[in-house]
């Protein structure tokens, strides 16, 4: 099992809880991971563990898990700047970026605002923001509250409905998700995350993203329907969409499928023109 470094770092006057998995003699840039709304860094541990040769870093956004909340919400642009400062703290230069769900929006914003720093982009179970194919109202209402992170019995009750996929037939698999949850002490962080993406969309500038982009979408995702992955793929020039036979938690419940895809995408310089585009970006394993 890899060793994880769990620390609290002062960045931009904020105390941010950071989770890192380091590797010796890394051959690729570190992978920066952005989690979904209300989700703490520990929920990425299984994925980070399986990505054996790849150094990984993630963090609790302000108000989530072990990071202190801010008084006012931080928009995606400010959060992408905070992320860059966090990378500076660890002397990381060039990075690859993965974002899931809400974190996929932040990943898109980071790739836009720090284009020369983001080598490759992975978007999982996410959308272009308010210009998206929406979930059913009953699903969205359950997303509007952090109750599933605070009440385990409620999580087990609604998991199949909001996450779909394998959880419809095997709801007990949500236990692997639940055991990594570390809820925040207040709901301010969750509310701030909702406000961070209010009115946000990337639809009008996705065509300007130059990074090779891997898009992972579940065919049975009640929260972010598959059509959103198709929209992203159509708008991002150098992208590829992989349709996963799963729901919203595909990075957790289908790791045996997605980990080889992610590893090949990050480690192979010749994937769908990646070598040419990578040549225009800061290279190496900074």
């Amino acid at each position: 099992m890899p060793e994880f470094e769990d620390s609290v770092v002062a960045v931009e006057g904020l105390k941010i809880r950071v989770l890192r998995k380091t590797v010796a003699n890394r051959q690729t840039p570190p992978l920066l991971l952005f989690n979904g709304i209300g989700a703490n860094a520990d929920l990425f541990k299984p994925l980070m563990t399986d990505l054996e040769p790849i150094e990984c870093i993630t963090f609790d956004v302000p108000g989530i898990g072990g990071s202190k909340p801010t008084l006012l919400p931080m928009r995606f642009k400010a959060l992408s700047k905070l992320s860059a400062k966090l990378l500076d703290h660890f002397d990381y230069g060039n990075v690859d970026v993965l974002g899931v769900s809400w974190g996929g929006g932040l990943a898109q914003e980071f790739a836009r605002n720090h284009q020369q720093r983001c080598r490759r982009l992975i978007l999982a179970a996410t959308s272009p923001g308010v210009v998206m194919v929406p979930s059913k109202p009953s699903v969205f209402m359950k997303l509007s509250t952090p109750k599933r992170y605070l009440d385990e019995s409620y999580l087990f009750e609604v998991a199949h409905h909001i996450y779909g996929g394998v959880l419809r037939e095997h709801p007990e698999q949500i236990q692997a998700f639940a055991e990594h949850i570390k809820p925040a002490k207040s709901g301010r962080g969750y509310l701030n995350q909702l406000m961070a993406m209010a009115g946000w969309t990337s639809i009008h500038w996705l065509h300007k993203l130059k990074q090779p982009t891997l898009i992972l979408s579940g065919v049975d995702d009640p929260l972010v329907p598959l059509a959103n992955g198709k929209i992203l793929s159509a708008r991002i020039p150098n992208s590829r969409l992989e349709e996963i036979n799963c729901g919203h938690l595909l990075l957790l419940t289908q790791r045996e499928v997605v980990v080889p895809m992610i590893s090949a995408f990050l480690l192979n310089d010749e994937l769908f023109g990646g070598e040419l585009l990578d040549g225009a970006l800061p290279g190496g394993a900074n």
Side-chain angles (χ1 to χ4, degrees):
M1 294 292 291
E3 292 188 4
F4 286 87
E5 175 189 291
D6 197 329
S7 61
V8 175
V9 175
V11 182
E12 298 278 280
L14 302 173
K15 291 185 177 180
I16 304 297
R17 186 250 178 156
V18 180
L19 190 65
R20 281 204 309 158
K21 185 200 78 175
T22 58
V23 298
N25 303 315
R26 64 177 186 264
Q27 300 302 308
T28 65
L31 178 62
L32 171 64
L33 302 99
F34 296 122
N35 221 326
I37 189 167
N40 52 283
D42 306 81
L43 290 165
F44 269 137
K45 266 190 173 182
L47 178 66
M48 292 165 68
T49 298
D50 288 352
L51 292 170
E52 294 181 6
I54 299 169
E55 187 152 324
C56 300
I57 179 170
T58 188
F59 64 97
D60 293 338
V61 299
I64 300 300
S67 294
K68 299 295 184 181
T70 55
L71 182 60
L72 298 175
M74 296 178 69
R75 299 288 286 176
F76 275 164
K77 184 175 182 179
L79 287 168
S80 71
K81 179 181 178 182
L82 176 70
S83 305
K85 293 288 186 180
L86 189 67
L87 295 175
D88 291 341
H89 177 86
F90 290 98
D91 292 325
Y92 288 150
N94 190 23
V95 294
D96 295 321
V97 177
L98 180 152
V100 57
S101 194
W102 179 93
L106 180 52
Q108 293 168 59
E109 191 72 34
F110 184 93
R112 178 198 187 194
N113 295 327
H114 303 279
Q115 189 157 275
Q116 293 301 313
R117 196 167 189 174
C118 177
R119 187 187 71 131
R120 295 190 178 187
L121 180 63
I122 302 171
L123 303 175
T126 193
S127 77
V130 294
V131 182
M132 67 174 288
V133 177
S135 60
K136 293 180 179 179
S138 60
V139 175
F140 178 77
M141 290 304 295
K142 292 179 176 65
L143 181 69
S144 64
T145 168
K147 185 176 179 180
R148 67 191 185 281
Y149 290 115
L150 304 173
D151 184 342
E152 188 171 300
S153 63
Y154 179 75
L155 173 63
F156 276 83
E157 178 185 336
V158 303
H160 69 286
H161 182 56
I162 62 176
Y163 296 129
V166 68
L167 297 178
R168 296 193 190 279
E169 300 296 329
H170 300 282
E172 73 281 356
Q173 290 197 22
I174 197 63
Q175 182 62 48
F177 180 81
E179 66 186 18
H180 290 293
I181 292 175
K182 293 183 178 179
K185 295 181 180 180
S186 75
R188 183 192 296 174
Y190 195 91
L191 177 61
N192 283 352
Q193 281 191 282
L194 287 173
M195 295 299 293
M197 65 179 301
W200 178 88
T201 184
S202 59
I203 196 72
H204 56 295
W205 48 257
L206 284 174
H207 66 284
K208 296 181 179 180
L209 295 183
K210 296 181 179 180
Q211 296 88 351
T213 303
L214 176 63
I215 301 165
L216 305 173
S217 294
V219 299
D220 179 26
D221 186 343
L223 279 176
V224 185
L226 173 62
N228 292 287
K230 294 181 178 180
I231 292 171
L232 291 172
S233 180
R235 293 291 293 162
I236 301 174
N238 197 27
S239 65
R240 184 180 75 221
L241 171 64
E242 293 287 353
E243 299 181 15
I244 311 298
N245 187 24
C246 189
H248 195 67
L249 299 185
L250 57 91
L251 293 182
L252 178 68
T253 61
Q254 293 293 312
R255 293 200 314 281
E256 71 279 5
V257 174
V258 300
V259 165
M261 291 179 180
I262 293 172
S263 296
F265 175 64
L266 297 180
L267 297 171
N268 187 342
D269 281 343
E270 298 179 356
L271 284 178
F272 55 101
E275 184 174 15
L276 176 62
L277 283 181
D278 285 348
L281 299 173
N286 296 333

